[in-house]
Amino acid sequence: MPTEQNDPGTIEFPPVPAPDEQASREAVARQAQLTKPAGSLGRLEELGVWFAARQGVCPPHPPARARVVVFAGDHGIAQHGVSAYPPEVTGQMVSNFLSGGAAVNVLASHAGATVRVVDMSVTVDTPPVVSAHKVRRGSGAIDREDALTDEEVRAAVQAGRTIADEEVDSGADLLIAGDMGIGNTTPAAVLISLLTGTEPIAVVGRGTGIDDNAWMRKTAAIRDALRRARKVHNDPIALLRTSTGADIAALAGFLAQAAVRKTPVMLDGVVVGAAALVAEELAPGARQWWLAGHRSAEPGGPLVLQHLDLEPVLDMRLRLGEGSGALTALPVLTAAVKVLGEMATFDEAGVAGEAGA
């Protein structure tokens, strides 16, 4: 059941439960009994064990109710030339998601997942089906003002928690976090630079495909935003308020609450990864419930994975967002789980095992 909060103005997460060690040991033992040389399926074996520990049973069941949640929001910084696309694209893409025409829709259909879109701070009106948790229109330009107010950031984080509870209570057995928002790689770069201790120049990417002039504007914006962010470095909620937006704040709440609810999450790219850095601060140990779907082509992507000690399933130079990289990796995870559960053991197949075993 969802966790209760005593004070709606306080953002506190209960301790994150650990994955099931007994199921993990049983999965490792079962891998050694399957009709293959030990370790011959490489990462597929590791992924099967990982999922067994998160389901708490061996053999695990393949994910049957995978659910993608795309958090959408506009960013004030997008008005200052840091993206190759105009800000109005965010609202247009929300419509594209709803009509089934985006990459996330196609990849979800292929992988057997379903898609939910949540408007947290898009500047235009969107249908009630996506705007029930909307906090505001757009966010402040983080190089010169806070992205959100105190009340707004708390509402956004709580919305993420509520959405995670809604999906888990509806039967989702694997969650995938996605993002959509023109300019959102700029606040993501601020978070990654600050929380990994990396110089801004090493974090700034091309985002939607910006040219050199836009890259310089983006770098300057991140430098200025970092000056403001450093003042609240040790306060995750204040950091979200100062340097992100309602979409990223909700993502952080969503990722933390999913871990509290013992539900595995497949992380996507650099924006989700940046939110994950804050979610781990909000709910220490949450990363035990996350699997990195892929290594983003954005410079900050590998930094996130290194900081969270996560190994990506795929590395295909993806940088779209939306949940696209995680969805591309989902069939690999499903295959790994089926291998663990459906392959015959040496005894069942009447095949001789390793000599001397």
Side-chain angles (χ1 to χ4, degrees):
M1 293 297 293
T3 53
E4 295 183 359
Q5 296 181 84
N6 296 324
D7 179 359
T10 301
I11 303 292
E12 293 182 357
F13 288 84
V16 174
D20 192 315
E21 285 295 330
Q22 179 61 31
S24 178
R25 287 191 291 269
E26 291 176 4
V28 170
R30 179 172 172 82
Q31 289 284 10
Q33 299 166 7
L34 301 179
T35 47
K36 58 179 174 55
S40 60
L41 285 178
R43 189 77 199 286
L44 286 179
E45 298 186 21
E46 297 172 6
L47 291 174
V49 172
W50 186 91
F51 205 65
R54 275 72 193 168
Q55 277 198 347
V57 64
C58 181
H61 311 291
R65 297 283 298 277
R67 181 71 152 171
V68 189
V69 183
V70 181
F71 291 84
D74 278 302
H75 295 264
I77 197 67
Q79 302 286 348
H80 301 287
V82 299
S83 174
Y85 288 83
E88 55 264 29
V89 167
T90 303
Q92 294 165 356
M93 282 301 298
V94 169
S95 298
N96 194 26
F97 295 145
L98 293 175
S99 64
V104 64
N105 303 107
V106 176
L107 292 168
S109 177
H110 169 70
T114 57
V115 179
R116 176 181 180 180
V117 184
V118 179
D119 169 8
M120 292 303 305
S121 52
V122 179
T123 55
V124 299
D125 289 333
T126 56
V129 68
V130 300
S131 61
H133 296 283
K134 189 165 187 167
V135 168
R136 59 179 281 172
R137 291 172 177 265
S139 63
I142 59 172
D143 59 341
R144 61 200 74 185
E145 61 184 329
D146 285 355
L148 303 165
T149 66
D150 244 358
E151 182 179 355
E152 288 166 349
V153 71
R154 294 176 188 280
V157 173
Q158 180 56 36
R161 298 182 72 168
T162 298
I163 291 163
D165 284 334
E166 289 172 354
E167 296 302 335
V168 174
D169 292 340
S170 296
D173 54 4
L174 175 70
L175 294 172
I176 291 175
D179 66 274
M180 176 60 217
I182 298 302
N184 63 6
T185 59
T186 298
V190 173
L191 293 180
I192 294 167
S193 176
L194 184 68
L195 296 176
T196 66
T198 305
E199 287 297 318
I201 198 73
V203 178
V204 184
R206 297 283 174 169
T208 49
I210 55 177
D211 61 19
D212 289 345
N213 288 332
W215 185 87
M216 287 187 285
R217 288 192 295 270
K218 183 176 181 179
T219 302
I222 291 168
R223 177 201 62 210
D224 293 343
L226 271 168
R227 292 195 186 105
R228 306 184 75 257
R230 289 191 182 101
K231 300 174 184 177
V232 292
H233 177 260
N234 295 319
D235 185 338
I237 297 299
L239 180 59
L240 292 171
R241 182 199 72 227
T242 304
S243 306
T244 65
D247 51 343
I248 295 176
L251 268 167
F254 177 82
L255 294 171
Q257 184 67 7
V260 169
R261 296 295 306 276
K262 302 173 64 174
T263 302
V265 179
M266 184 98 77
L267 301 182
D268 192 48
V270 71
V271 175
V272 172
L277 293 177
V278 184
E280 176 65 16
E281 299 285 326
L282 290 170
R287 64 186 178 88
Q288 299 173 90
W289 293 89
W290 305 335
L291 183 66
H294 75 118
R295 188 192 313 275
S296 172
E298 283 282 302
L303 295 171
V304 168
L305 300 184
Q306 181 179 7
H307 189 80
L308 294 174
D309 193 24
L310 299 176
E311 182 181 356
V313 177
L314 302 175
D315 187 350
M316 299 182 70
R317 302 190 300 278
L318 304 178
R319 55 180 174 84
L320 175 61
E322 301 179 8
S324 56
L327 283 166
T328 303
L330 177 55
V332 177
L333 174 63
T334 300
V337 175
K338 288 188 173 185
V339 162
L340 180 57
E342 298 177 15
M343 270 188 75
T345 65
F346 287 110
D347 285 346
E348 290 168 344
V351 174
E354 184 179 350

